[in-house]
Amino acid sequence: MSADAGTFAAVGFALYAAHMVGGHWVQREREALGKGAAGWSGRYLAARHVASLTAVKVLFLAAVWLVFGLSLAPFAVVVGLVVDALSHWWADRRHTLARLARRTGKGGWWDHDPQAPYLLDQSWHTGWLFVAALIVTGVTS
């Protein structure tokens, strides 16, 4: 059984708002600058960023759940957040997203426009937030 469009909209906006707050205000400077580094240091900083970002998303989802009395299946919420977290970590390692940009014909833009990496990163995350919202609201208990 699927949730209604209003639930999807509330969950989707909560995830997007949390993404923006968690990614720009909560993320520590060290994480922002080091999460793309090679080796375990970069992996750790990316994981730490994703953990705090996911915590913000849990808080924002809890707020819309409480305010609007949404019917969300806990398993679906967990799966949606895990999918989002994994996709976020993958992209934030940076070399992965750069490789994807090159394979999809966006390498020149990536290399020559200083805004391209950020724009492609954010659009990647937004696309996966959409998927996460579908997962969170598509399964009810």
Side-chain angles (χ1 to χ4, degrees):
M1 180 176 190
S2 294
D4 63 23
T7 300
F8 174 77
V11 166
F13 184 71
L15 289 173
Y16 180 75
H19 169 79
M20 297 305 285
V21 171
H24 296 102
W25 286 99
V26 175
Q27 180 175 208
R28 297 175 183 154
E29 184 174 326
R30 184 165 180 236
E31 295 163 354
L33 297 175
K35 63 190 175 187
W40 287 106
S41 173
R43 290 182 192 105
Y44 168 74
L45 291 170
R48 195 168 81 174
H49 161 58
V50 169
S52 66
L53 179 65
T54 302
V56 173
K57 289 175 183 175
V58 167
L59 292 174
F60 279 50
L61 282 176
V64 296
W65 173 68
L66 288 171
V67 169
F68 298 111
L70 302 180
S71 176
L72 301 175
F75 179 75
V77 173
V78 170
V79 171
L81 289 172
V82 167
V83 166
D84 175 65
L86 291 173
S87 71
H88 198 103
W89 184 87
W90 180 88
D92 276 10
R93 293 294 293 128
R94 297 199 178 121
H95 68 279
T96 50
L97 200 60
R99 185 170 45 239
L100 179 62
R102 288 184 178 85
R103 286 188 179 172
T104 58
K106 303 204 177 318
W109 182 34
W110 181 279
D111 293 334
H112 296 101
D113 182 347
Q115 294 180 346
Y118 176 77
L119 293 170
L120 289 170
D121 172 81
Q122 289 302 300
S123 63
W124 173 267
H125 295 322
T126 301
W128 282 101
L129 290 171
F130 176 81
V131 171
L134 286 173
I135 293 169
V136 168
T137 60
V139 180
T140 58
S141 56

